[in-house]
C-alpha cells in the first residue's frame, strides 16, 4: 500500500506539483487511489503536461471527492480539453479556487466556463498566461460578477474600456 492509500480517509490536500509523473501514472493514481480520498478538498496537478486524455478522469474524481481547490497550472490543457472537463463535471461541484494558469486555453477555451457560471460564486479563477485576447471579454463579462478573484495577467487583453464597464457589476471581486 502506498502512503496515499494508507491515509485515503484523512487526506485533505494533495500537492503533486512539478514531479516527473507520466500520464499513465496520473491516470492510475486518480482511478485507483484518489477516488478513495473522500475528504480530499484540494489537489495540485500542475506541471505534469496534462492534456485532454486525463481531463475526464479528473472530472470523475470530483464526483467522488469534495474538491474545492483545483490547480492545473502549466499543463497542455487546451480548449477541447477544458470543454471535455466542464461537460464531465458533477453538477454539485462548487469551486473555491480553479487555477488554469499557463495553459493554451485562448478565448475559445474559456468560453465553456459560461456553462458553469453558477458554480463560481465566491470563486478564485486564475487564467494567467492562457493566451486570452479581447474576444475573451464576452465570456469574462458573464463569469466575472460571480468571482471573488480573477487573475488574467500576461495575456493579450487590450480593451480596457470593456473592463471598466464590467467592474462596477463585480460586487464580490476583491
Amino acid at each position: 500500500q502506498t502512503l496515499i492509500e494508507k491515509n485515503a480517509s484523512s487526506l485533505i490536500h494533495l500537492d503533486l506539483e512539478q514531479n516527473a509523473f507520466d500520464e499513465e501514472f496520473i491516470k492510475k493514481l486518480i482511478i485507483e487511489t484518489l477516488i478513495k480520498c473522500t475528504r480530499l478538498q484540494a489537489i495540485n496537478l500542475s506541471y505534469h503536461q496534462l492534456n485532454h486524455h486525463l481531463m475526464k478522469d479528473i472530472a470523475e474524481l470530483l464526483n467522488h471527492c469534495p474538491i474545492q481547490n483545483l490547480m492545473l497550472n502549466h499543463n497542455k490543457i487546451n480548449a477541447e480539453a477544458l470543454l471535455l472537463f466542464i461537460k464531465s463535471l458533477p453538477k454539485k461541484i462548487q469551486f473555491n479556487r480553479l487555477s488554469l494558469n499557463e495553459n493554451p486555453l485562448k478565448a475559445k477555451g474559456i468560453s465553456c466556463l459560461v456553462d458553469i457560471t453558477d458554480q463560481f460564486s465566491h470563486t478564485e479563477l486564475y487564467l494567467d498566461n492562457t493566451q486570452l485576447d479581447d474576444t475573451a471579454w464576452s465570456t469574462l463579462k458573464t463569469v466575472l460578477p460571480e468571482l471573488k478573484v480573477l487573475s488574467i495577467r500576461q495575456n493579450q487583453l487590450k480593451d480596457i474600456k470593456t473592463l471598466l464597464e464590467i467592474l462596477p457589476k463585480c460586487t464580490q471581486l476583491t
Side-chain angles (χ1 to χ4, degrees):
Q1 268 191 331
T2 68
L3 182 63
I4 295 173
E5 289 173 320
K6 287 179 185 176
N7 296 297
S9 64
S10 60
L11 188 64
I12 294 172
H13 183 113
L14 182 60
D15 191 341
L16 299 173
E17 182 175 336
Q18 281 190 310
N19 282 286
F21 303 135
D22 63 14
E23 184 177 320
E24 184 180 325
F25 174 82
I26 297 279
K27 185 175 184 73
K28 186 175 179 179
L29 177 71
I30 291 169
I31 292 172
E32 295 178 11
T33 305
L34 294 181
I35 216 152
K36 299 171 189 167
C37 298
T38 57
R39 296 182 62 210
L40 188 62
Q41 295 174 14
I43 188 165
N44 187 345
L45 292 172
S46 299
Y47 291 85
H48 284 290
Q49 303 301 313
L50 302 180
N51 56 34
H52 67 279
H53 298 292
L54 288 170
M55 295 309 289
K56 194 169 184 176
D57 294 322
I58 293 169
E60 180 62 26
L61 176 64
L62 298 175
N63 274 308
H64 299 276
C65 304
I67 295 174
Q68 299 168 346
N69 299 313
L70 182 60
M71 285 72 70
L72 299 172
N73 302 315
H74 206 279
N75 284 294
K76 292 183 178 178
I77 301 167
N78 60 18
E80 292 77 24
L82 188 58
L83 181 60
L84 177 63
F85 174 70
I86 297 292
K87 286 184 174 187
S88 303
L89 277 177
K91 298 295 180 213
K92 65 184 186 306
I93 189 78
Q94 185 69 47
F95 288 112
N96 287 337
R97 179 180 187 179
L98 178 59
S99 190
L100 297 165
N101 296 329
E102 310 257 345
N103 282 292
L105 299 174
K106 302 183 179 178
K108 180 182 176 189
I110 68 159
S111 65
C112 60
L113 294 176
V114 173
D115 296 338
I116 60 166
T117 299
D118 59 329
Q119 294 164 300
F120 281 141
S121 184
H122 302 292
T123 297
E124 298 176 17
L125 180 60
Y126 296 88
L127 298 170
D128 299 338
N129 197 14
T130 51
Q131 302 174 12
L132 301 181
D133 60 21
D134 286 332
T135 60
W137 284 119
S138 59
T139 299
L140 293 173
K141 280 183 193 181
T142 306
V143 175
L144 222 103
E146 301 299 322
L147 298 176
K148 181 171 79 173
V149 172
L150 174 65
S151 184
I152 49 176
R153 298 176 299 178
Q154 297 176 320
N155 282 292
Q156 292 90 37
L157 298 167
K158 298 175 187 167
D159 186 1
I160 191 74
K161 182 180 166 195
T162 303
L163 177 61
L164 293 174
E165 289 171 9
I166 298 169
L167 283 177
K169 300 172 186 163
C170 302
T171 56
Q172 298 180 59
L173 209 55
T174 56

